[in-house]
């Protein structure tokens, strides 16, 4: 496991500053901080949570064309919904970049991979990154306070709320909800029963 020491943190920060717009970079720091807090609360590896939080959007400012090209060149599968909304691919591409550039653990890679669409079999780290991405302090969106509160009470209930919130947003912009997210929501609801 790699430790997020000062050297690695500054390497990642420099890398992100060169790739991300200022607002996205600040968001990444916010996700790292929220992920750290949640990791401490739920006894998840804090270093891994911080690394995943910091790197989760490392491919976010790539253009749709760049994301598609990257996937084609690196053997990453693109399904129909991802092809209709190529921005979703920033999770797949970001996970691949994090692994290749910083040799992150498979757990960190997976949490970056699932931070956009979620997944049926999410680990606590996966849940933390998905939720932190939505509720980090810099996000000033209506309806987040309840999810923020729940995040420190019950991770699965917070995940259900976060998934429902995000799916509602996808519906409102008239896009299709990915089956992976629907399966993730159903699985999360089952874990709450």
């Amino acid at each position: 496991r790699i430790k997020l020491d000062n050297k690695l943190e500054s390497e990642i920060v420099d890398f992100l500053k060169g790739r991300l717009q200022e607002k996205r970079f600040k968001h990444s720091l916010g996700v790292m901080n929220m992920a750290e807090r949640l990791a401490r609360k739920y006894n998840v590896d804090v270093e891994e949570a911080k690394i995943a939080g910091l790197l989760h959007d490392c491919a976010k400012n790539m253009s749709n064309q760049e994301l598609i090209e990257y996937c084609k060149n690196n053997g990453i599968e693109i399904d129909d919904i991802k092809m209709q909304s190529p921005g979703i691919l920033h999770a797949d591409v970001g996970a691949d970049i994090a692994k290749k550039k910083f040799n992150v653990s498979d757990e960190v890679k997976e949490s970056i991979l699932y931070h956009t669409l979620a997944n049926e079999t999410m680990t606590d780290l996966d849940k933390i990154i998905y939720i932190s991405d939505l509720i980090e302090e810099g996000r000033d969106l209506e309806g987040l306070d309840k999810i923020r509160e729940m995040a420190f009470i019950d991770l699965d209930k917070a995940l259900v709320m976060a998934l429902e919130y995000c799916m509602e947003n996808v519906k409102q912009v008239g896009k299709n909800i990915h089956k992976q997210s629907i399966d993730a929501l159903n699985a999360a609801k089952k874990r709450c029963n």
Side-chain angles (χ1 to χ4, degrees):
R1 293 193 181 272
I2 54 172
K3 285 301 240 183
L4 186 61
D5 56 20
N6 292 341
K7 184 176 176 285
L8 179 62
E9 190 167 350
S10 64
E11 264 177 54
I12 294 174
V13 164
D14 287 345
F15 173 71
L16 293 177
K17 278 185 174 169
R19 292 180 67 93
L20 299 180
Q21 293 160 359
E22 179 68 17
K23 189 178 170 199
R24 182 63 47 189
F25 175 70
K26 282 185 176 157
H27 164 70
S28 298
L29 293 177
V31 174
M32 177 183 78
N33 293 332
M34 183 58 75
E36 178 181 3
R37 288 173 58 198
L38 288 171
R40 289 186 194 288
K41 164 83 178 146
Y42 294 105
N43 293 320
V44 170
D45 188 308
V46 172
E47 302 294 323
E48 300 233 304
K50 287 174 73 176
I51 292 168
L54 202 48
L55 282 169
H56 82 286
D57 269 353
C58 67
K60 186 71 173 184
N61 288 137
M62 290 170 73
S63 71
N64 288 347
Q65 198 48 50
E66 287 170 326
L67 289 167
I68 291 166
E69 282 302 308
Y70 187 97
C71 289
K72 286 180 179 166
N73 295 334
N74 289 276
I76 297 170
E77 223 175 286
I78 308 176
D79 62 34
D80 290 347
I81 291 184
K82 289 179 182 178
M83 205 60 199
Q84 289 164 16
S85 303
I88 297 172
L89 292 168
H90 82 275
D92 304 70
V93 172
D96 196 65
I97 289 171
K99 185 70 177 174
K100 288 176 178 164
K101 180 138 182 71
F102 296 104
N103 194 29
V104 300
S105 70
D106 290 342
E107 291 81 5
V108 167
K109 180 184 177 186
E110 186 179 275
S111 69
I112 295 170
L113 180 63
Y114 297 140
H115 87 269
T116 302
L117 296 177
N119 179 276
E120 276 179 282
T121 57
M122 293 174 85
T123 64
D124 282 351
L125 178 62
D126 298 342
K127 295 170 196 174
I128 284 170
I129 299 306
Y130 186 91
I131 293 165
S132 296
D133 184 26
L134 179 63
I135 67 167
E136 60 95 358
E137 299 297 341
R139 289 240 201 228
D140 189 22
L141 304 169
E142 208 177 306
L144 290 188
D145 287 340
K146 284 189 174 110
I147 305 173
R148 276 191 189 110
E149 212 174 288
M150 185 54 74
F152 288 92
I153 299 168
D154 185 312
L155 207 50
D156 279 309
K157 284 182 182 161
L159 180 64
V160 168
M161 292 166 76
L163 279 160
E164 288 175 341
Y165 184 94
C166 293
M167 288 164 131
E168 190 49 47
N169 286 350
V170 171
K171 272 187 212 153
Q172 283 182 354
V173 294
K175 293 197 171 165
N176 293 322
I177 292 174
H178 200 286
K179 183 183 182 308
Q180 191 177 313
S181 298
I182 296 165
D183 292 345
L185 178 61
N186 293 333
K189 282 180 172 172
K190 273 193 192 125
R191 287 193 299 267
C192 291
N193 294 338

